[in-house]
Amino acid sequence: MAVTAFILGLLVYMGFRVFAGALYTVKPNERAVLTSFGRAQRIGDSLVTDDSLNDEERQRYQFPVLRTIGPGGPYFKWPWQEVHKVDVATQALDVTWDPTKRQSTIEAVTKDNLTTGVNGQIRFRASENNLYAYLFGIDSPLEHVMGYFVSVLRERIANFVDPKGQSLVGDGEMQGEEGSGPAVDLSEGVSINDLRKNLPLLNDYMEQQCRSTGTRYGIELDAALITQIDPPTEVDRALSAINSTRNQVAADISTARADAEQQITMSKRAVEIASNNAQAEVAPLRELGETLINIKSAGGPESLRAYLRNMRIPLLKQARRIVQVTAPNR
């Protein structure tokens, strides 16, 4: 009798434990994946696709599409099944996060061989379309994505030059073509100054370069927020001196350009005045010529000689000496 009661009690306890553990719920910010004997439920033979991957990456990252369980419940599962819940809400994390060590900034080397510190944040979320990679493909997907992000960031800082308003990503680079570099390879400036001036472009570049992390590692990068690039103190002082000198040179150039424009304007005005004076002197001579032509046309050569004789009389009255030259005989 006692043995029978013990067995009945054990069965009731096991039934209660199985029933209590068979029900579960999924929160609004969660998605769940159910596995049976360790195998996740899949949707046919479908694979996760991404047009941003090249052919080599498509061969490497082939993950099946899983059947996900949305928010709600209670749901039922058998004892041999296991529920894997994933938080799909957007989260923020410092770029200095590294589970293997403590650090306050990320060191990166610029094109000028200067070591600078970089700080900022990234916003990310688990990819609902590729939960297999997030749950089963990689042991620590967030750590993997952070390492990938920092590697791309250091590579870009090491080669960064001022794009002068152009995009940092060339068309060939967007399509994954080999040998295609950045859109421009430009100015000779101080790299840290260029980086500080173009932080929005740098953030856009990082978002574009990391857009395939959802397919690779199951984590989608929502935004990159690089907010601070600090060189060493002595380098910062040198940069301040360089900036001051550049500002002074720019001011001197502006002043010289204004003086030159003023001189050009004054020269144009002087030329205009001289031209008007010359025209004023030529006008009476032209009028006299037209008058002589009209006299000769109306009265003939005799009238012209009479006019010249009459015009010569006032001049002879004013003259003190007259020199008469005889024309040479021909």
Side-chain angles (χ1 to χ4, degrees), residues 278-279 281-293:
Q279 291 179 0
E281 293 179 359
V282 169
L285 298 178
R286 289 181 175 176
E287 184 66 22
L288 177 60
E290 293 179 357
T291 301
L292 296 176
I293 291 172

Side-chain angles (χ1 to χ4, degrees), residues 101-156:
K101 60 183 178 182
R102 295 174 62 87
Q103 57 183 1
S104 59
T105 186
I106 293 177
E107 291 187 350
V109 180
T110 67
K111 195 174 183 179
D112 303 334
N113 289 326
L114 299 176
T115 301
T116 184
V118 182
N119 289 87
Q121 285 187 333
I122 62 170
R123 287 203 305 262
F124 66 95
R125 61 177 177 270
S127 175
E128 296 185 42
N129 300 323
N130 193 16
L131 290 180
Y132 187 93
Y134 185 83
L135 291 172
F136 313 111
I138 302 171
D139 186 32
S140 179
L142 183 56
E143 184 178 352
H144 210 88
V145 168
M146 187 60 72
Y148 176 79
F149 180 86
V150 173
S151 298
V152 175
L153 179 63
R154 282 175 171 160
E155 184 274 336
R156 176 47 57 191

